[in-house]
Amino acid sequence: MKFRFLTLYAVVFMFILYLPVLLLPLFSFNDSTIVAFPIKGFTTHWYETLLKEEPMLLSLVNSLKVACATAFFSTLLGICGARAVTRYNFFAKKTITAFVMLPLVLPEIIIAISLLVVLLRMGFDLSLFSVTLGHILMTVPFSIAVLISSFEGFDKSLEEASMDLGEGPLMTFFRVTLPMVAPGIVSSLLITFTISLDEFIVAFFLSGTEPTLPIYIWGQLRFTAKLPTVVALGSCLLISSFLLLWMAEFFRRRVQKRTGIKESVL
Amino acid sequence: MSAANSSNSRPMIRVDQVWRRFGDFAALDGVSLDIKSGEFFSLLGPSGCGKTTLLRLIAGFDDPTEGEIFIDDQPMSGVPANRRPTNMVFQSYAIFPHLTVAQNVAYGLRRQRLSSTERDKRVQDSLDQVGLGHLGARRANELSGGQRQRVALARALIMRPKVLLLDEPLSALDKKLREHMQVELRQLQRQVGITFILVTHDQEEAVTMSDRIAVMFGGKIAQCDTPEQIYQHPKTRNVADFIGGMNFIEANLLDQTNGHVTIDSSIFGKVQINNPHGVTFGSSFSVGVRPERITLMIDSNQEAERVIEGRIAGASYYGDMTYYSVAVPGQDEPITVSMRNTVGRRILAENEPVRIGWGPESLVPLA
């Protein structure tokens, strides 16, 4: 009896959790300007108008630029950070690590406002560059968390074996360390990319005159007539985010398989 | 390959007053050691005795706090691991999981800029040498424990090092395979003539494989000698206890002269025994007797130099041998005596009265 109750609970829980999300694609094909039941008929009209929306395409390009730069730089910083945490001992290591990981739990609005104040005081113009800076700050902890498990997962004596066989520290990094953590790096790139692509608050405060995709969507919500188009756009984002995270998880599991450890950080 | 014989007396490795401190703790406490060229040398001791620390200092993964290590007369301080003429077989084997067996073995050859045919030939020779010639294309994670170990050996030996360092290489293998690899490693060492340094906590492994053993306790070398000398003439109680079984009997010193001590003990009485290490003893110390160096006299007509009366307190049956503990008046701990289970010999019952035969040459004074 107990088992049955828990099963029922789980099913209801999942239903409530995912129903609104699953309604999104459903309404995107609904032949009506009102996003509500009953469903009127099937159409791909909203997807067609989406492709003709010049400002939408521009903001998409902006978002992709920001997301690519964010993924690259936060993963680069993440590699350095994860390696430092797992391989070296230094002064106040725990405190420094805690502060680096802090944006993981810090409210985004606080990050956004403080960055806004600092950047304006320093005389920066708000642009995609400032959004990227904010996103890097936010995503580095994710990158470090993913990469720490890759770095921790492999035997330190592999690096020693490489040194023992005549390679210096640099070649050891390229011939042993990097191939070992490569799946973790791919996973980190995908996760940070996805986070940056979806991020709203920091982008809202720091983007200036160049909107990213979430900012554009927020702007469109004021016009009821455009709501179905936004729903169509949301469906596209939903699918692409899901695919990216699925790929990230796939690569993370490959790390586990390669290093033979069972560990999950995310 | 006769380097081993031609220069047998020259030290390949000299460890000179080496200290390694971690904070207040001295992992190595002023260790000095000479290891000859072509020797199979073992560092033996319980975990935490400093044996692995010493091996890592020789390999160059760590630096001594004080002292110097010489390899082939070259001082090694400031020389990183990748420029030392040593190669290591790691306890975990450290096989690169992203490479094949052949790529693993060829790893260290990159810097030698060989032609690809020359390189492939050396890899193949090296794999053949360890009996894995047919597995070159395998991925490292498709290998068994024994095969991994062979890959680690081939990968180190292909570098033609002056010294091969082995860090507990057999500890992850099951008993049968371990015994097999002991013989094989020993043969391989004879064949290549390279100096081998083995770190182990397994006394049997050290005794069967090594030319010489250094027994370590608490960061110090307690005794460094051939396996036979260490077994027959242990210097300290620690060494005697660590290698083989040993009965310890408290004794009082009556007299010590050059090479001999005269003792008085409750069960052996007054007797003069050899003091091969020339140790100066205090007024009371332990003497040791190996279980197989005293005999249970079960036939009434059996004779021995000296005899102790006792009773059987217990028996442990090992198949080929039986170990009896014999309660002896005047001794708290029963004395362990081993007996071969030859044809027709019965197992003695508890409380049966027995006589133990011994001679002064069975007793070892222990510092």
Side-chain angles (χ1 to χ4, degrees):
Chain A
M1 277 311 281
K2 198 181 175 188
F3 173 71
R4 278 199 152 175
F5 169 74
L6 284 178
T7 316
L8 188 71
Y9 168 76
V11 169
V12 171
F13 185 87
M14 295 305 275
F15 192 68
I16 293 172
L17 193 63
Y18 283 102
L19 187 68
V21 178
L22 290 174
L23 284 178
L24 216 57
L26 184 67
F27 284 124
S28 73
F29 293 107
N30 186 18
D31 193 5
S32 160
T33 48
I34 302 158
V35 178
F37 285 111
I39 303 284
K40 292 266 171 62
F42 180 80
T43 178
T44 53
H45 172 73
W46 308 121
Y47 287 92
E48 283 154 27
T49 50
L50 195 60
L51 286 175
K52 286 180 217 140
E53 279 277 326
E54 194 74 15
M56 192 285 289
L57 293 174
L58 268 175
S59 65
L60 176 66
V61 171
N62 284 343
S63 264
L64 289 177
K65 279 184 196 162
V66 171
C68 286
T70 302
F72 179 77
F73 285 106
S74 56
T75 301
L76 196 66
L77 293 173
I79 293 172
C80 302
R83 190 178 161 82
V85 170
T86 51
R87 286 290 185 268
Y88 301 105
N89 272 315
F90 44 86
F91 175 72
K93 177 174 166 178
K94 282 194 174 155
T95 321
I96 292 172
T97 313
F99 274 112
V100 170
M101 302 304 272
L102 195 61
L104 216 52
V105 289
L106 214 57
E108 281 176 48
I109 190 133
I110 292 181
I111 299 177
I113 293 174
S114 41
L115 271 174
L116 181 69
V117 171
V118 170
L119 287 175
L120 288 180
R121 273 290 157 87
M122 285 170 73
F124 275 96
D125 284 329
L126 294 182
S127 63
L128 292 182
F129 178 70
S130 51
V131 178
T132 309
L133 282 185
H135 281 183
I136 291 173
L137 183 74
M138 280 177 56
T139 53
V140 160
F142 286 94
S143 172
I144 289 182
V146 171
L147 286 163
I148 276 179
S149 71
S150 312
F151 273 101
E152 265 176 0
F154 80 90
D155 189 1
K156 198 181 168 187
S157 58
L158 289 176
E159 284 169 345
E160 285 179 347
S162 168
M163 303 280 276
D164 188 61
L165 292 165
E167 294 292 13
L170 196 67
M171 282 310 289
T172 294
F173 184 77
F174 283 113
R175 291 189 75 190
V176 176
T177 315
L178 214 51
M180 289 301 294
V181 297
I185 290 173
V186 175
S187 162
S188 158
L189 285 172
L190 291 171
I191 287 170
T192 51
F193 181 87
T194 315
I195 293 172
S196 167
L197 199 65
D198 290 351
E199 203 285 326
F200 176 74
I201 298 173
V202 170
F204 182 70
F205 276 75
L206 300 179
S207 64
T209 53
E210 298 165 286
T212 60
L213 200 56
I215 307 293
Y216 168 80
I217 293 174
W218 185 79
Q220 296 303 298
L221 289 175
R222 280 175 295 170
F223 315 109
T224 6
K226 292 208 170 169
L227 196 55
T229 323
V230 172
V231 170
L233 179 59
S235 308
C236 296
L237 284 179
L238 180 70
I239 305 233
S240 52
S241 288
F242 174 78
L243 281 177
L244 284 173
L245 286 177
W246 178 78
M247 274 163 71
E249 180 62 14
F250 172 79
F251 278 103
R252 203 179 63 78
R253 289 199 185 171
R254 270 195 54 185
V255 177
Q256 286 188 346
K257 214 170 151 190
R258 176 170 287 184
T259 55
I261 55 143
K262 296 271 170 284
E263 193 180 354
S264 100
V265 171
L266 284 178
Chain B
M1 286 296 156
S2 60
N5 308 329
S6 62
S7 53
N8 231 348
S9 55
R10 189 171 59 90
M12 173 53 83
I13 290 198
R14 228 179 79 210
V15 178
D16 189 18
Q17 280 299 312
V18 165
W19 294 73
R20 178 67 177 98
R21 294 193 188 89
F22 297 98
D24 288 340
F25 170 71
L28 288 176
D29 195 345
V31 170
S32 291
L33 193 62
D34 274 3
I35 298 172
K36 288 178 234 152
S37 182
E39 199 169 25
F40 198 126
F41 193 90
S42 290
L43 297 168
L44 173 68
S47 52
C49 73
K51 57 192 193 301
T52 301
T53 307
L54 181 55
L55 196 77
R56 292 175 61 80
L57 289 180
I58 296 171
F61 297 134
D62 194 8
D63 299 312
T65 318
E66 264 175 64
E68 182 66 276
I69 292 171
F70 298 87
I71 300 179
D72 210 11
D73 293 335
Q74 300 295 312
M76 283 293 131
S77 57
V79 181
N82 51 329
R83 280 195 238 119
R84 293 196 183 191
T86 57
N87 283 107
M88 177 114 128
V89 173
F90 291 82
Q91 183 167 19
S92 62
Y93 308 144
I95 306 295
F96 303 122
H98 58 297
L99 302 177
T100 64
V101 169
Q103 284 168 336
N104 261 284
V105 175
Y107 189 91
L109 296 181
R110 187 190 69 91
R111 298 184 68 88
Q112 300 187 10
R113 308 198 183 286
L114 305 170
S115 70
S116 64
T117 42
E118 168 74 3
R119 192 188 57 222
D120 292 349
K121 190 184 168 297
R122 267 179 69 179
V123 169
Q124 192 57 46
D125 287 350
S126 194
L127 281 173
D128 286 338
Q129 194 170 38
V130 296
L132 289 182
H134 55 297
L135 291 182
R138 277 275 174 97
R139 284 222 147 235
N141 49 9
E142 298 163 353
L143 299 176
S144 70
Q147 288 168 334
R148 281 161 173 269
Q149 209 229 357
R150 285 158 199 261
V151 175
L153 262 175
R155 188 177 67 180
L157 284 174
I158 201 172
M159 304 300 291
R160 297 171 184 163
K162 288 179 177 165
V163 183
L164 185 74
L165 308 171
L166 302 115
D167 185 8
E168 306 253 7
L170 306 178
S171 60
L173 307 178
D174 61 65
K175 190 169 185 290
K176 266 266 152 49
L177 187 58
R178 193 162 65 227
E179 283 166 2
H180 178 75
M181 285 306 293
Q182 283 175 9
V183 178
E184 209 171 292
L185 262 182
R186 184 74 237 223
Q187 278 172 350
L188 192 67
Q189 193 264 341
R190 292 252 163 80
Q191 204 183 328
V192 295
I194 292 172
T195 311
F196 276 36
I197 304 179
L198 172 81
V199 158
T200 181
H201 64 269
D202 183 338
Q203 48 102 5
E204 198 184 302
E205 195 171 293
V207 168
T208 51
M209 290 165 83
S210 322
D211 293 317
R212 281 195 308 150
I213 301 173
V215 188
M216 294 181 69
F217 289 101
K220 288 187 167 131
I221 293 177
Q223 191 172 1
C224 178
D225 221 325
T226 61
E228 195 190 346
Q229 277 295 317
I230 285 181
Y231 187 83
Q232 303 288 4
H233 304 293
K235 208 167 174 177
T236 69
R237 193 175 162 140
N238 276 340
V239 174
D241 203 20
F242 197 73
I243 294 170
M246 183 69 101
N247 295 298
F248 297 104
I249 287 110
E250 295 310 313
N252 292 319
L253 180 74
L254 294 181
D255 184 34
Q256 52 188 333
T257 58
N258 234 353
H260 291 92
V261 280
T262 311
I263 58 153
D264 183 17
S265 92
S266 53
I267 62 168
F268 297 125
K270 287 179 191 172
V271 58
Q272 192 188 48
I273 58 179
N274 281 331
N275 178 10
H277 300 293
V279 177
T280 309
F281 290 96
S283 60
S284 71
F285 56 96
S286 301
V287 291
V289 197
R290 296 277 182 209
E292 73 280 5
R293 310 222 47 188
I294 42 182
T295 39
L296 273 188
M297 301 192 294
I298 36 181
D299 305 323
S300 50
N301 58 354
Q302 223 169 335
E303 300 260 340
E305 200 176 333
R306 292 159 201 243
V307 173
I308 307 168
E309 306 275 346
R311 271 174 194 283
I312 300 284
S316 312
Y317 181 72
Y318 276 78
D320 56 340
M321 305 280 270
T322 305
Y323 285 82
Y324 291 102
S325 38
V326 181
V328 173
Q331 165 86 359
D332 294 339
E333 288 271 305
I335 289 178
T336 306
V337 187
S338 70
M339 193 162 66
R340 284 217 152 267
N341 293 328
T342 47
V343 175
R345 183 162 284 173
R346 67 186 179 87
I347 304 296
L348 302 178
E350 213 163 304
N351 268 330
E352 213 170 304
V354 284
R355 296 180 303 147
I356 300 173
W358 64 283
E361 68 280 2
S362 316
L363 307 189
V364 191
L366 299 168

